[in-house]
Amino acid sequence: MTLDFGTTLGGAWFPTPIFTASGCASSGKELSQFFPLREIGAVVTKSIMLKPRAGRPTPRMAETPSGMLNSIGLQGPGIDAFLIEDIPWLASQGARIIVSIAGETAEEYAVLSRKLRGVSGISALEVNISCPNVENRGLVFACDPTSASEVIKSVRSIIGGDLPILAKLTPDVTNIVNIATAVMTSGADGLALINTVLGMVINTETMRPHLGGITGGLSGPAIRPIAVRAIYQVRQALPNVSILGMGGVTSGKDALELILAGASGVSIGTASFGDPSAVIRIQRELHQILQDKGFNSVREAVGHAHRD
Ligand code: RRO
């Protein structure tokens, strides 16, 4: 029997369950030298804001045990340039596209949604409400159920039923299920779990913080158990919610772990920095491991760890 490798996220269908992770492949141009983007589930673009943005001061990266810190600070060209350059280029590659958006206010998310509504070639929106690299932690909407809900409601009110909305959450909260429940009851169609974990490195030579932005988001294998835990907890509490999982996946076996916890799709981020073919390699490995374990479809494996 051949494996059904297709998956759905928030009602949108994708031919494979492997995606890029927002922020780790910009709009995919560099990765397209290593594999055809149309062969993966979708490209999830770097979170885009309304205006062009320079981001945080350098240095913006630090290597850490089994991972790395980033402090990019939402650098990007702004939505207008993105719509002119990136979307048509991705569409020309035959790639499916999940557009990630970020804003400083619920109104900004609404304006972004207005600009994206009706643009052809977009499969879903990832609403990033959990960027760790902002000046004020009070601006991390996903740390508070009321603020998180406000953003999702404002996006939904503009998008209507046109596109699935995935809310991207942070694990840096006391109870992620509370936040997940709040965004799902406010109109999200699914969740992206997890964003990076807030961390910090001090350079012992200079005896000062290493990153220009002082703190940064920790990614890579170091955070995989946190991702598995968050996905598992949310799936347990909300068994019908579709989850795009990410956090330290470097192999097909790692991707399977997130799927067993409850993810219907898996994004690959930090692994691509060391190995630009990681996404397509992990996709091949996952296909093989699902077959070896006797699954007939991805769907059958999703949340399998919860079954008696
Ligand atoms: O741009 C960033 O610094 C950034 C973002 Br928007 C995010 O969501 N997660 C992250 O680790 N870095």
Side-chain angles (χ1 to χ4, degrees), residues 127 129 140-154 167 169 179 182-183 186:
V127 181
I129 50 175
V140 181
F141 301 101
C143 288
D144 173 66
T146 308
S147 312
S149 290
E150 253 173 51
V151 173
I152 299 304
K153 278 182 193 157
S154 86
L169 304 187
I179 312 286
V183 296
S186 300

Side-chain angles (χ1 to χ4, degrees), residues 46-297:
K46 163 87 184 147
S47 298
I48 194 80
M49 297 190 80
L50 216 43
K51 297 269 162 8
R53 186 165 160 125
R56 278 182 145 184
T58 55
R60 292 175 168 182
M61 294 231 195
E63 279 196 54
T64 60
S66 296
M68 58 172 273
L69 284 172
N70 85 81
S71 172
I72 307 301
L74 286 148
Q75 180 187 351
I79 187 72
D80 293 334
F82 175 81
L83 286 175
I84 292 169
E85 307 204 349
D86 297 275
I87 295 287
W89 183 82
L90 279 165
S92 77
Q93 301 297 300
R96 285 153 297 280
I97 310 166
I98 298 181
V99 175
S100 180
I101 59 172
E104 287 179 0
T105 60
E107 175 57 21
E108 246 184 79
Y109 285 89
V111 178
L112 285 161
S113 304
R114 216 167 278 128
K115 286 182 181 269
L116 286 159
R117 187 181 57 192
V119 174
S120 66
I122 301 176
S123 298
L125 290 186
E126 177 190 90
V127 181
N128 185 1
I129 50 175
S130 52
C131 174
N133 297 323
V134 290
E135 299 300 327
N136 173 0
R137 282 300 282 175
L139 287 178
V140 181
F141 301 101
C143 288
D144 173 66
T146 308
S147 312
S149 290
E150 253 173 51
V151 173
I152 299 304
K153 278 182 193 157
S154 86
V155 172
R156 177 55 76 203
S157 73
I158 305 296
I159 293 295
D162 288 357
L163 281 175
I165 296 171
L166 307 177
K168 185 155 190 180
L169 304 187
T170 172
D172 282 339
V173 289
T174 308
N175 186 342
I176 197 165
V177 169
N178 279 352
I179 312 286
T181 306
V183 296
M184 290 309 298
T185 53
S186 300
D189 298 291
L191 303 170
L193 300 174
I194 55 174
N195 210 318
T196 53
V197 180
L198 196 65
M200 182 173 171
V201 164
I202 292 175
N203 179 328
T204 48
E205 295 305 315
T206 63
M207 299 196 282
R208 296 287 182 283
H210 170 79
L211 293 170
I214 314 274
T215 56
L218 182 64
S219 63
I223 71 163
R224 195 168 63 244
I226 301 176
V228 173
R229 181 270 298 171
I231 294 165
Y232 190 91
Q233 285 181 328
V234 169
R235 169 86 181 186
Q236 183 99 318
L238 307 167
N240 299 318
V241 170
S242 70
I243 299 171
L244 176 59
M246 66 283 293
V249 171
T250 63
S251 67
K253 188 166 152 287
D254 298 343
L256 177 64
E257 193 182 357
L258 269 59
I259 290 171
L260 297 174
S264 299
V266 175
S267 280
I268 312 302
T270 306
S272 295
F273 294 138
D275 170 12
S277 300
V279 178
I280 204 78
R281 170 182 56 79
I282 292 167
Q283 178 164 292
R284 266 196 313 270
E285 291 173 358
L286 176 65
H287 192 277
Q288 186 65 48
I289 199 168
L290 284 168
Q291 276 187 328
D292 292 349
K293 294 208 176 286
F295 289 109
N296 296 311
S297 64

